[in-house]
């Protein structure tokens, strides 16, 4: 949601979130999030991540979980805004859906809220060069719905017959070097290349305005 350019410049912070309890279709539900801010070559970066968990209440089968990874000079504000504004709106829309009000297609419900959050953020000056990824999972009884924008990956771990854990990706990172995303970017007038100057380029593929050195987004959508 939004855009991207520079890393945050405040001191390192750490986010921790842990909740347990709640049940869904007879299963106990637990959630935990731990995140630590990264570093660049100059100084520690502020932690721009946010996580949330809405556990199923007694007699209910719906739980909502997610993460937002901010980026850009105001990335920490972008992820905070999503956690505080987008999540309650999404929860309300899902409540209406499961109560038989509004759209009967849960995918339409979730997509509408993502599009609305993006429009609200990109309309504000402070987020023209900042934004956040968004990945949410909705636990609905014995089913899981995953929706995402950007490259914060959702993975489900399942026990196999030998007692081990098998990881399955629920999301597919929006990266500019993904063939379908590269085509979409270029059709929209963007340019996909590594960051650099003259003949010296390095790092991951990023999205740029043609002929310019910005915004340098390393995810296709955020």
């Amino acid at each position: 949601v939004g855009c991207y350019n520079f890393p945050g410049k405040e001191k390192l912070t750490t986010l921790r979130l842990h909740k347990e309890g709640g049940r869904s279709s007879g299963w106990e539900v637990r959630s935990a999030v731990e995140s630590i801010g990264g570093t660049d070559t100059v100084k520690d970066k502020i932690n721009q991540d946010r996580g949330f968990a809405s556990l199923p209440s007694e007699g209910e089968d719906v739980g909502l979980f997610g993460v937002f990874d901010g980026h850009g000079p105001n990335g920490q504000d972008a992820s905070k805004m999503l956690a505080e504004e987008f999540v309650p709106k999404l929860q309300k829309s899902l409540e209406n859906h499961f109560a038989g009000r509004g759209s009967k297609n849960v995918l339409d419900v979730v997509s509408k809220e993502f599009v609305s959050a993006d429009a609200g953020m990109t309309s504000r000056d402070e987020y023209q060069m900042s934004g956040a990824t968004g990945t949410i999972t909705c636990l609905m009884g014995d089913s899981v719905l995953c929706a995402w924008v950007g490259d914060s990956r959702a993975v489900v771990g399942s026990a196999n017959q030998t007692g081990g854990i098998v990881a399955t990706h629920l999301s597919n990172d929006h990266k500019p070097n993904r063939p379908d995303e590269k085509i979409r970017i270029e059709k929209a007038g963007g340019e996909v290349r590594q960051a650099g100057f003259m003949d010296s380029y390095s790092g991951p593929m990023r999205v740029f305005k043609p002929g310019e050195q910005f915004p340098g987004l390393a995810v296709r959508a955020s």
Side-chain angles (χ1 to χ4, degrees):
V1 180
C3 194
Y4 165 86
N5 192 13
F6 306 106
K9 297 181 179 180
E10 298 180 38
K11 297 296 289 184
L12 177 73
T13 61
T14 299
L15 165 71
R16 285 188 177 89
L17 169 66
H18 176 75
K19 291 185 178 181
E20 59 181 278
R23 305 187 68 81
S24 181
S25 293
W27 295 93
E28 183 176 4
V29 180
R30 298 184 181 185
S31 68
V33 173
E34 182 168 350
S35 173
I36 187 168
T39 59
D40 57 26
T41 57
V42 180
K43 61 178 69 176
D44 289 336
K45 295 162 56 178
I46 190 172
N47 188 322
Q48 297 183 317
D49 302 339
R50 291 291 185 276
F52 72 92
S54 177
L55 301 178
S57 301
E58 190 67 34
E60 295 183 354
D61 276 353
V62 179
L64 192 63
F65 313 87
V67 292
F68 305 108
D69 180 4
H71 43 234
N74 297 314
Q76 65 274 14
D77 297 323
S79 59
K80 182 173 182 288
M81 172 186 170
L82 291 170
E84 294 180 351
E85 298 182 20
F86 165 71
V87 172
K89 290 180 180 179
L90 177 60
Q91 288 176 314
K92 184 63 176 178
S93 293
L94 287 171
E95 288 173 2
N96 288 335
H97 166 75
F98 290 114
R101 300 186 296 270
S103 174
K104 295 182 179 181
N105 189 326
V106 69
L107 298 181
D108 289 342
V109 172
V110 175
S111 296
K112 180 180 178 180
E113 292 303 335
F114 267 90
V115 171
S116 176
D118 179 72
M121 183 169 291
T122 55
S123 67
R124 296 170 60 169
D125 290 342
E126 63 268 37
Y127 296 127
Q128 294 308 301
M129 299 299 282
S130 299
T133 67
T135 299
I136 66 102
T137 55
C138 182
L139 179 64
M140 303 175 292
D142 58 0
S143 299
V144 175
L145 167 70
C146 179
W148 72 97
V149 178
D151 62 350
S152 293
R153 187 175 303 178
V155 179
V156 61
S158 305
N160 60 21
Q161 294 180 343
T162 63
I165 301 295
V166 177
T168 303
H169 293 173
L170 295 180
S171 60
N172 185 4
D173 297 355
H174 289 131
K175 289 290 191 181
N177 57 334
R178 243 178 65 178
D180 58 334
E181 294 301 326
K182 185 174 186 293
I183 291 173
R184 187 194 306 239
I185 293 163
E186 291 173 344
K187 283 185 175 180
E191 184 175 271
V192 177
R193 57 179 167 81
Q194 293 173 300
F197 182 72
M198 301 296 286
D199 295 324
S200 178
Y201 297 90
S202 62
M205 289 295 186
R206 297 176 179 273
V207 182
F208 293 90
K209 184 177 179 179
E212 303 289 350
Q213 293 298 318
F214 65 91
L217 185 64
V219 294
R220 197 282 302 172
S222 70

